[in-house]
Amino acid sequence: MDDLLGTEWLLEDLGGSGVIDYARATLGFSERGKVTGNGSCNCFFGSVEFTGDLVSFANIGSTRMQCADAVSDQEQRYLAALQAAYRMSSDGTFLFVHTKSFEKPLRFTRLLKP
């Protein structure tokens, strides 16, 4: 998954349910072996390991800003899903993170750098 290096993705679907429009959740791969992003309210960081299309996120930590209950709930579900992820795939337009937390994968679209 070296082609992910330097990319950032916007969460559009959280395992079959939509996401709160104003609570932007992202996933970024700025350095090899590292993952960063916005959980919906707080920034997060951690490690990521790829083996073919298999993926493992670990040591995920985040800032601790207080958020509205719905946003906090979305963030908790998103970060828990990342920690339960086992596979990633792409169809050229979307990035999919398959997780043990949901039947359907998380779906992301690529954010373009200005």
Side-chain angles (χ1 to χ4, degrees), residues 37-52:
N38 188 304
S40 292
C41 175
N42 290 286
C43 295
F44 72 89
F45 47 87
S47 60
V48 62
E49 185 177 319
F50 298 103
T51 306

Side-chain angles (χ1 to χ4, degrees), residues 25-88:
T26 62
L27 182 63
F29 302 95
S30 59
E31 292 180 53
R32 186 177 309 280
K34 304 283 184 193
V35 64
T36 58
N38 188 304
S40 292
C41 175
N42 290 286
C43 295
F44 72 89
F45 47 87
S47 60
V48 62
E49 185 177 319
F50 298 103
T51 306
D53 66 345
L54 300 180
V55 66
S56 174
F57 295 95
N59 303 317
I60 294 180
S62 70
T63 57
R64 302 260 185 220
M65 291 177 25
Q66 188 170 356
C67 313
D69 288 344
V71 175
S72 290
D73 178 59
Q74 176 174 289
E75 181 169 87
Q76 289 173 356
R77 290 184 302 126
Y78 174 46
L79 296 180
L82 288 180
Q83 292 185 86
Y86 62 90
R87 186 168 68 89
M88 289 179 69

